[in-house]
DNA sequence: GTAATAAATGAACACATAAACATGTGAGGC
DNA sequence: GCCTCACATGTTTATGTGTTCATTTATTAC
Protein backbone atom coordinates (compact mmCIF):
# COMPACT_ATOMS: atom_id res chain seq x y z
CA UNK A 1 0.00 0.00 0.00
CA UNK A 2 1.75 3.09 -1.24
CA UNK A 3 -0.99 5.44 -2.37
CA UNK A 4 1.83 7.22 -4.19
CA UNK A 5 0.55 10.20 -6.10
CA UNK A 6 1.71 10.03 -9.68
CA UNK A 7 3.51 13.31 -9.20
CA UNK A 8 2.98 16.23 -11.50
CA UNK A 9 2.56 14.97 -15.00
CA UNK A 10 -0.73 13.33 -14.16
CA UNK A 11 -3.23 16.08 -13.52
CA UNK A 12 -6.08 14.10 -12.09
CA UNK A 13 -6.25 15.54 -8.64
CA UNK A 14 -9.78 16.84 -8.98
CA UNK A 15 -11.12 13.50 -10.20
CA UNK A 16 -9.38 11.67 -7.41
CA UNK A 17 -10.96 13.92 -4.83
CA UNK A 18 -14.38 13.71 -6.42
CA UNK A 19 -14.32 9.95 -6.68
CA UNK A 20 -12.81 9.43 -3.26
CA UNK A 21 -15.57 11.47 -1.65
CA UNK A 22 -18.16 9.47 -3.54
CA UNK A 23 -16.92 6.12 -2.33
CA UNK A 24 -19.03 4.01 0.00
CA UNK A 25 -18.18 2.55 3.36
CA UNK A 26 -15.96 -0.47 3.81
CA UNK A 27 -18.97 -2.31 5.16
CA UNK A 28 -21.04 -1.68 2.07
CA UNK A 29 -18.27 -2.78 -0.27
CA UNK A 30 -17.74 -5.92 1.75
CA UNK A 31 -21.44 -6.75 1.51
CA UNK A 32 -21.44 -6.01 -2.20
CA UNK A 33 -18.45 -8.26 -2.77
CA UNK A 34 -20.02 -11.05 -0.72
CA UNK A 35 -23.21 -10.76 -2.72
CA UNK A 36 -21.48 -11.18 -6.06
CA UNK A 37 -19.12 -13.81 -4.73
CA UNK A 38 -22.16 -15.90 -3.93
CA UNK A 39 -23.14 -15.81 -7.60
CA UNK A 40 -19.60 -16.30 -8.78
CA UNK A 41 -19.35 -20.06 -8.86
CA UNK A 42 -20.38 -22.52 -11.51
CA UNK A 43 -22.37 -24.71 -9.15
CA UNK A 44 -24.09 -21.86 -7.34
CA UNK A 45 -24.92 -20.13 -10.61
CA UNK A 46 -26.66 -23.30 -11.73
CA UNK A 47 -28.48 -23.64 -8.42
CA UNK A 48 -29.72 -20.07 -8.54
CA UNK A 49 -30.82 -20.35 -12.14
CA UNK A 50 -32.63 -23.60 -11.40
CA UNK A 51 -34.41 -21.96 -8.49
CA UNK A 52 -35.35 -19.03 -10.71
CA UNK A 53 -37.57 -21.51 -12.55
CA UNK A 54 -39.15 -23.31 -9.62
CA UNK A 55 -38.67 -23.93 -5.93
CA UNK A 56 -36.90 -27.24 -5.38
CA UNK A 57 -35.96 -29.51 -2.52
CA UNK A 58 -32.35 -30.44 -1.95
CA UNK A 59 -32.47 -33.85 -3.52
CA UNK A 60 -34.25 -32.44 -6.55
CA UNK A 61 -31.43 -29.94 -6.96
CA UNK A 62 -28.95 -32.77 -6.65
CA UNK A 63 -30.77 -34.56 -9.46
CA UNK A 64 -30.99 -31.54 -11.70
CA UNK A 65 -27.30 -30.72 -11.32
CA UNK A 66 -26.21 -34.37 -11.09
CA UNK A 67 -24.18 -33.76 -7.96
CA UNK A 68 -24.07 -35.24 -4.48
CA UNK A 69 -26.56 -34.08 -1.89
CA UNK A 70 -23.69 -33.06 0.34
CA UNK A 71 -22.12 -30.80 -2.25
CA UNK A 72 -25.46 -29.11 -2.90
CA UNK A 73 -26.13 -28.69 0.78
CA UNK A 74 -22.79 -27.03 1.37
CA UNK A 75 -23.49 -24.53 -1.39
CA UNK A 76 -26.99 -23.88 -0.14
CA UNK A 77 -25.48 -23.03 3.20
CA UNK A 78 -23.46 -20.28 1.54
CA UNK A 79 -26.46 -19.05 -0.40
CA UNK A 80 -28.47 -18.92 2.81
CA UNK A 81 -25.71 -16.94 4.50
CA UNK A 82 -25.74 -14.50 1.58
CA UNK A 83 -29.52 -14.20 1.93
CA UNK A 84 -30.01 -15.20 -1.68
CA UNK A 85 -32.36 -18.09 -0.96
CA UNK A 86 -35.06 -18.86 1.54
CA UNK A 87 -36.40 -22.23 2.51
CA UNK A 88 -39.39 -23.92 4.00
CA UNK A 89 -39.64 -27.34 5.56
CA UNK A 90 -42.27 -29.78 4.47
CA UNK A 91 -42.07 -33.09 6.27
CA UNK A 92 -38.62 -34.51 5.66
CA UNK A 93 -37.97 -32.22 2.73
CA UNK A 94 -36.62 -28.70 2.63
CA UNK A 95 -37.68 -26.59 -0.30
CA UNK A 96 -35.48 -23.76 -1.45
CA UNK A 97 -36.46 -20.71 -3.48
CA UNK A 98 -34.88 -17.44 -4.49
CA UNK A 99 -35.17 -14.92 -1.72
CA UNK A 100 -36.66 -12.11 -3.82
CA UNK A 101 -36.93 -10.65 -7.28
CA UNK A 102 -33.72 -8.73 -6.80
CA UNK A 103 -31.86 -11.98 -7.00
CA UNK A 104 -33.69 -13.08 -10.11
CA UNK A 105 -33.05 -9.73 -11.74
CA UNK A 106 -29.35 -9.94 -11.04
CA UNK A 107 -29.18 -13.36 -12.63
CA UNK A 108 -31.12 -12.28 -15.68
CA UNK A 109 -29.13 -9.09 -16.10
CA UNK A 110 -25.94 -11.12 -15.82
CA UNK A 111 -27.22 -13.46 -18.50
CA UNK A 112 -27.96 -10.54 -20.79
CA UNK A 113 -24.36 -9.46 -20.48
CA UNK A 114 -23.09 -12.96 -21.12
CA UNK A 115 -25.23 -13.38 -24.21
CA UNK A 116 -24.05 -10.08 -25.68
CA UNK A 117 -20.37 -10.59 -25.07
CA UNK A 118 -19.98 -14.34 -24.81
CA UNK B 1 -21.91 -37.10 -7.58
CA UNK B 2 -24.80 -39.40 -6.91
CA UNK B 3 -27.85 -37.82 -8.55
CA UNK B 4 -29.82 -40.17 -6.31
CA UNK B 5 -33.55 -39.71 -6.67
CA UNK B 6 -35.14 -39.19 -3.28
CA UNK B 7 -37.26 -42.25 -3.80
CA UNK B 8 -41.01 -42.21 -3.52
CA UNK B 9 -42.03 -39.92 -0.73
CA UNK B 10 -40.75 -36.90 -2.57
CA UNK B 11 -43.04 -36.29 -5.51
CA UNK B 12 -41.08 -33.73 -7.42
CA UNK B 13 -40.39 -35.60 -10.61
CA UNK B 14 -42.27 -33.21 -12.85
CA UNK B 15 -40.47 -30.18 -11.49
CA UNK B 16 -37.11 -31.85 -11.89
CA UNK B 17 -37.81 -32.56 -15.53
CA UNK B 18 -39.13 -29.10 -16.20
CA UNK B 19 -36.21 -27.38 -14.54
CA UNK B 20 -33.64 -29.70 -16.04
CA UNK B 21 -34.89 -29.01 -19.54
CA UNK B 22 -34.80 -25.28 -18.85
CA UNK B 23 -31.16 -25.26 -17.80
CA UNK B 24 -28.57 -23.52 -19.90
CA UNK B 25 -25.37 -24.85 -21.38
CA UNK B 26 -22.26 -25.49 -19.35
CA UNK B 27 -20.56 -22.76 -21.32
CA UNK B 28 -23.16 -20.18 -20.43
CA UNK B 29 -23.03 -21.01 -16.74
CA UNK B 30 -19.25 -20.83 -16.77
CA UNK B 31 -19.41 -17.38 -18.34
CA UNK B 32 -22.04 -16.27 -15.88
CA UNK B 33 -19.97 -17.47 -12.94
CA UNK B 34 -16.87 -15.75 -14.30
CA UNK B 35 -18.78 -12.52 -14.69
CA UNK B 36 -19.98 -12.46 -11.11
CA UNK B 37 -16.67 -13.71 -9.80
CA UNK B 38 -15.09 -10.61 -11.26
CA UNK B 39 -17.41 -8.46 -9.14
CA UNK B 40 -17.02 -10.67 -6.12
CA UNK B 41 -13.99 -9.17 -4.46
CA UNK B 42 -13.68 -6.24 -2.11
CA UNK B 43 -10.95 -4.53 -4.10
CA UNK B 44 -12.54 -5.08 -7.49
CA UNK B 45 -15.92 -3.96 -6.21
CA UNK B 46 -14.32 -0.72 -5.11
CA UNK B 47 -12.50 -0.31 -8.41
CA UNK B 48 -15.68 -0.84 -10.40
CA UNK B 49 -17.66 1.53 -8.24
CA UNK B 50 -14.96 4.17 -8.51
CA UNK B 51 -14.95 3.80 -12.28
CA UNK B 52 -18.73 4.13 -12.30
CA UNK B 53 -18.17 7.71 -11.20
CA UNK B 54 -15.34 8.70 -13.51
CA UNK B 55 -12.68 7.19 -15.73
CA UNK B 56 -9.39 7.00 -13.86
CA UNK B 57 -5.78 6.14 -14.56
CA UNK B 58 -4.08 3.37 -12.63
CA UNK B 59 -2.22 5.58 -10.22
CA UNK B 60 -5.37 7.57 -9.53
CA UNK B 61 -7.13 4.34 -8.64
CA UNK B 62 -4.22 3.45 -6.39
CA UNK B 63 -4.68 6.77 -4.64
CA UNK B 64 -8.42 6.46 -4.28
CA UNK B 65 -8.20 2.95 -2.84
CA UNK B 66 -4.94 3.60 -1.00
CA UNK B 67 -3.32 0.52 -2.44
CA UNK B 68 -0.16 -0.22 -4.37
CA UNK B 69 -0.08 0.31 -8.12
CA UNK B 70 0.85 -3.32 -8.56
CA UNK B 71 -2.14 -4.62 -6.66
CA UNK B 72 -4.45 -2.40 -8.69
CA UNK B 73 -2.85 -3.42 -11.93
CA UNK B 74 -3.26 -7.09 -11.18
CA UNK B 75 -6.95 -6.61 -10.49
CA UNK B 76 -7.42 -4.50 -13.60
CA UNK B 77 -5.97 -7.37 -15.58
CA UNK B 78 -8.77 -9.60 -14.32
CA UNK B 79 -11.38 -6.96 -15.03
CA UNK B 80 -10.03 -6.57 -18.55
CA UNK B 81 -10.17 -10.34 -19.07
CA UNK B 82 -13.78 -10.31 -17.87
CA UNK B 83 -14.52 -7.49 -20.33
CA UNK B 84 -15.82 -5.30 -17.53
CA UNK B 85 -13.50 -2.38 -18.23
CA UNK B 86 -11.94 -0.75 -21.25
CA UNK B 87 -8.89 1.44 -21.35
CA UNK B 88 -7.17 4.07 -23.42
CA UNK B 89 -3.57 5.19 -23.32
CA UNK B 90 -2.65 8.81 -22.98
CA UNK B 91 1.07 9.40 -22.78
CA UNK B 92 2.44 7.41 -19.92
CA UNK B 93 -0.96 6.97 -18.34
CA UNK B 94 -3.63 4.39 -18.99
CA UNK B 95 -7.18 5.44 -18.26
CA UNK B 96 -9.74 2.84 -17.35
CA UNK B 97 -13.50 3.08 -17.59
CA UNK B 98 -16.44 0.72 -17.27
CA UNK B 99 -17.01 -1.19 -20.47
CA UNK B 100 -20.71 -0.45 -20.81
CA UNK B 101 -23.89 0.38 -18.96
CA UNK B 102 -24.58 -3.27 -18.28
CA UNK B 103 -21.73 -3.26 -15.86
CA UNK B 104 -22.92 -0.11 -14.14
CA UNK B 105 -26.42 -1.51 -13.88
CA UNK B 106 -25.19 -4.69 -12.25
CA UNK B 107 -23.27 -2.72 -9.66
CA UNK B 108 -26.20 -0.46 -8.89
CA UNK B 109 -28.63 -3.33 -8.71
CA UNK B 110 -26.27 -5.13 -6.38
CA UNK B 111 -26.10 -2.04 -4.21
CA UNK B 112 -29.86 -1.87 -4.07
CA UNK B 113 -29.93 -5.37 -2.70
CA UNK B 114 -27.21 -4.61 -0.19
CA UNK B 115 -28.98 -1.52 1.06
CA UNK B 116 -32.23 -3.37 1.56
CA UNK B 117 -30.79 -6.35 3.36
CA UNK B 118 -27.54 -5.04 4.79
C1' DG C 1 21.74 7.86 -26.19
C1' DT C 2 20.28 8.07 -20.51
C1' DA C 3 17.14 8.98 -16.70
C1' DA C 4 12.65 8.99 -14.84
C1' DT C 5 7.97 7.53 -14.45
C1' DA C 6 3.40 4.84 -15.37
C1' DA C 7 2.01 0.55 -15.90
C1' DA C 8 2.39 -4.47 -16.62
C1' DT C 9 4.17 -8.86 -15.39
C1' DG C 10 6.34 -12.93 -12.86
C1' DA C 11 7.22 -15.46 -8.66
C1' DA C 12 6.27 -16.53 -3.97
C1' DC C 13 3.48 -16.71 -0.14
C1' DA C 14 -0.66 -16.76 2.83
C1' DC C 15 -5.25 -17.49 2.73
C1' DA C 16 -9.83 -18.89 0.95
C1' DT C 17 -12.70 -22.25 -1.20
C1' DA C 18 -15.10 -26.46 -3.44
C1' DA C 19 -15.73 -31.17 -3.42
C1' DA C 20 -15.33 -35.88 -1.30
C1' DC C 21 -16.09 -38.60 2.48
C1' DA C 22 -17.78 -39.65 6.88
C1' DT C 23 -20.70 -38.59 10.49
C1' DG C 24 -24.48 -36.21 12.96
C1' DT C 25 -29.36 -34.45 13.36
C1' DG C 26 -34.20 -34.51 13.14
C1' DA C 27 -38.67 -35.79 11.41
C1' DG C 28 -41.89 -39.77 10.03
C1' DG C 29 -43.40 -44.39 9.93
C1' DC C 30 -43.30 -48.82 12.11
C1' DG D 1 -38.79 -47.70 21.46
C1' DC D 2 -36.16 -48.31 16.52
C1' DC D 3 -35.28 -47.61 11.72
C1' DT D 4 -35.20 -44.93 7.57
C1' DC D 5 -34.80 -41.05 4.85
C1' DA D 6 -33.73 -36.01 3.75
C1' DC D 7 -30.67 -32.94 5.00
C1' DA D 8 -26.84 -30.63 7.60
C1' DT D 9 -22.24 -30.40 9.17
C1' DG D 10 -17.06 -31.61 10.29
C1' DT D 11 -12.85 -32.69 8.26
C1' DT D 12 -9.56 -33.32 4.83
C1' DT D 13 -7.46 -32.47 0.39
C1' DA D 14 -6.61 -30.13 -3.78
C1' DT D 15 -7.08 -26.11 -6.07
C1' DG D 16 -7.82 -21.13 -6.62
C1' DT D 17 -7.03 -16.36 -5.33
C1' DG D 18 -5.08 -11.72 -3.63
C1' DT D 19 -1.20 -9.22 -2.21
C1' DT D 20 3.73 -8.19 -1.92
C1' DC D 21 8.14 -7.75 -3.84
C1' DA D 22 11.17 -7.64 -7.72
C1' DT D 23 11.59 -7.00 -12.43
C1' DT D 24 10.35 -5.55 -17.11
C1' DT D 25 8.11 -2.82 -20.68
C1' DA D 26 6.80 1.51 -22.65
C1' DT D 27 6.65 6.34 -22.99
C1' DT D 28 8.38 11.04 -22.09
C1' DA D 29 11.96 14.42 -21.11
C1' DC D 30 16.65 15.50 -21.13
Amino acid sequence: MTGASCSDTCRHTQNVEKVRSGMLSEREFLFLAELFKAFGDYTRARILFALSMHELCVCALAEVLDMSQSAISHQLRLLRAAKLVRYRKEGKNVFYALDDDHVRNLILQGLDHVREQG
Side-chain angles (χ1 to χ4, degrees), chain A:
Chain A
M1 50 190 83
T2 354
S5 68
C6 45
S7 57
D8 307 297
T9 29
C10 184
R11 283 268 144 263
H12 58 220
T13 316
Q14 346 170 29
N15 291 337
V16 168
E17 274 319 305
K18 198 170 74 177
V19 170
R20 174 178 275 161
S21 68
M23 291 297 275
L24 310 175
S25 70
E26 175 180 337
R27 186 166 167 286
E28 281 174 302
F29 279 122
L30 284 173
F31 266 96
L32 191 61
E34 285 309 310
L35 169 66
F36 284 117
K37 201 177 295 186
F39 285 90
D41 172 78
Y42 176 65
T43 297
R44 288 194 296 273
R46 290 198 299 163
I47 290 177
L48 290 168
F49 186 74
L51 294 181
S52 79
M53 289 187 268
H54 205 287
E55 85 168 354
L56 291 168
C57 67
V58 179
C59 69
L61 275 168
E63 273 189 69
V64 169
L65 305 196
D66 191 30
M67 291 180 66
S68 73
Q69 173 267 318
S70 175
I72 300 290
S73 193
H74 274 292
Q75 299 297 352
L76 285 173
R77 180 177 152 83
L78 297 179
L79 294 175
R80 264 183 285 141
K83 301 265 184 61
L84 297 184
V85 297
R86 55 186 164 74
Y87 61 97
R88 64 180 182 83
K89 298 196 176 190
E90 188 179 306
K92 282 185 289 190
N93 294 92
V94 180
F95 287 84
Y96 282 82
L98 296 188
D99 188 67
D100 60 16
D101 278 341
H102 250 130
V103 180
R104 175 181 276 102
N105 287 341
L106 276 167
I107 298 176
L108 298 183
Q109 188 127 13
L111 268 176
D112 275 5
H113 184 82
V114 166
R115 293 215 156 111
E116 277 183 20
Q117 305 243 11

